[in-house]
């Protein structure tokens, strides 16, 4: 999976349609998480593609929340994103707001980690350190089981994502925490730069 879209083009498109710091933070986080997973799962040569899909996965959400994943193809066409990237972006909403099914491992990872990064981000905010660096799987599992905590993060989607990948929840939790650790500093730097 490759794309001719540059990160600069992707970032410009993202910022054209996303102004809220929360949405930019999520985009940068998922971008970094996807890059880590590409390396971890042996797709290092596709890391640029994986991270661009992560960066752009919610490109249409802030402006068009009711048409999420439906407006994305038109927006992505502005930067001549190919069919692969458009499919990948739209597949993360499978069964929620899109009928585009995740096919490639990358798309399954994006589907599985999108909601989970939100849950981990909410858990981190509650920690004295405000950092993912000292978050352990056991602590995340407690938050996952507490349905009132970060209620907007769908546990069913996270479970479905783990199943898609053929992983136990613990493995998904562990890997996603590690992925977020790998990009925490760069995400903070990007947020300060904006």
């Amino acid at each position: 999976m490759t794309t001719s879209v540059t990160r600069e083009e992707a970032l410009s498109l993202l910022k054209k349609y996303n102004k809220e710091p929360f949405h930019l933070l999520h985009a940068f986080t998922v971008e970094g998480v996807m890059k880590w997973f590409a390396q971890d799962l042996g797709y290092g040569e596709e890391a640029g593609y994986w991270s661009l899909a992560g960066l752009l996965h919610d490109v249409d959400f802030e402006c068009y929340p009711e048409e999420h994943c439906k407006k994305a193809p038109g927006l992505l066409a502005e930067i001549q994103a190919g069919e692969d990237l458009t499919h990948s972006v739209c597949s993360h909403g499978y069964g929620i707001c899109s009928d585009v099914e995740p096919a490639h491992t990358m798309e399954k990872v994006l589907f599985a980690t999108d909601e989970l990064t939100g849950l981990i981000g909410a858990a981190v905010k509650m920690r004295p350190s405000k950092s993912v660096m000292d978050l352990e799987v056991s602590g995340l599992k407690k938050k996952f089981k507490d349905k009132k905590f970060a209620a907007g993060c769908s546990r069913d989607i996270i479970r479905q994502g783990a199943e898609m990948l053929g992983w136990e929840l613990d493995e998904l939790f562990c890997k996603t925490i590690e992925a977020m650790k790998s990009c925490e500093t760069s995400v903070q730097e990007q947020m300060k730069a904006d």
Side-chain angles (χ1 to χ4, degrees), residues 3-173:
T3 179
S4 59
V5 174
T6 66
R7 186 180 189 275
E8 290 70 29
E9 290 168 327
L11 188 58
S12 175
L13 184 72
L14 178 74
K15 289 182 174 179
K16 180 177 177 182
Y17 293 101
N18 292 269
K19 310 293 181 200
E20 290 288 325
F22 175 81
H23 292 138
L24 293 172
L25 176 68
H26 179 62
F28 294 144
T29 299
V30 178
E31 174 190 30
V33 163
M34 292 302 293
K35 183 177 183 180
W36 183 92
F37 269 102
Q39 302 289 351
D40 184 65
L41 299 176
Y43 293 91
E45 72 285 354
E46 295 179 13
Y49 179 91
W50 286 48
S51 53
L52 279 182
L55 183 67
L56 291 171
H57 78 285
D58 277 347
V59 67
D60 62 357
F61 185 74
E62 186 175 312
C63 289
Y64 308 103
E66 301 303 314
E67 297 172 273
H68 183 35
C69 293
K70 293 179 178 57
K71 282 282 189 184
L75 305 188
L76 292 168
E78 292 180 30
I79 55 170
Q80 283 80 49
E83 277 181 42
D84 277 0
L85 189 56
T86 302
H87 186 281
S88 295
V89 165
C90 294
S91 73
H92 88 278
Y94 180 63
I96 311 149
C97 57
S98 167
D99 57 4
V100 178
E101 190 168 356
H104 186 279
T105 302
M106 184 240 98
E107 295 169 345
K108 295 173 184 176
V109 170
L110 181 58
F111 181 92
T113 59
D114 179 29
E115 291 285 307
L116 184 52
T117 58
L119 184 68
I120 293 171
V124 164
K125 278 187 186 159
M126 306 298 289
R127 300 181 70 72
S129 67
K130 304 283 187 242
S131 170
V132 74
M133 295 302 179
D134 57 358
L135 179 66
E136 300 201 354
V137 171
S138 57
L140 180 58
K141 283 168 82 169
K142 284 184 190 133
K143 298 294 188 193
F144 183 83
K145 286 175 185 165
D146 178 359
K147 291 183 175 52
K148 290 188 181 116
F149 179 78
C153 295
S154 169
R155 276 56 168 179
D156 289 341
I157 290 170
I158 295 168
R159 279 191 202 93
Q160 192 182 340
E163 283 170 23
M164 254 185 219
L165 288 161
W167 297 350
E168 296 294 326
L169 269 178
D170 279 17
E171 183 178 2
L172 179 61
F173 288 175

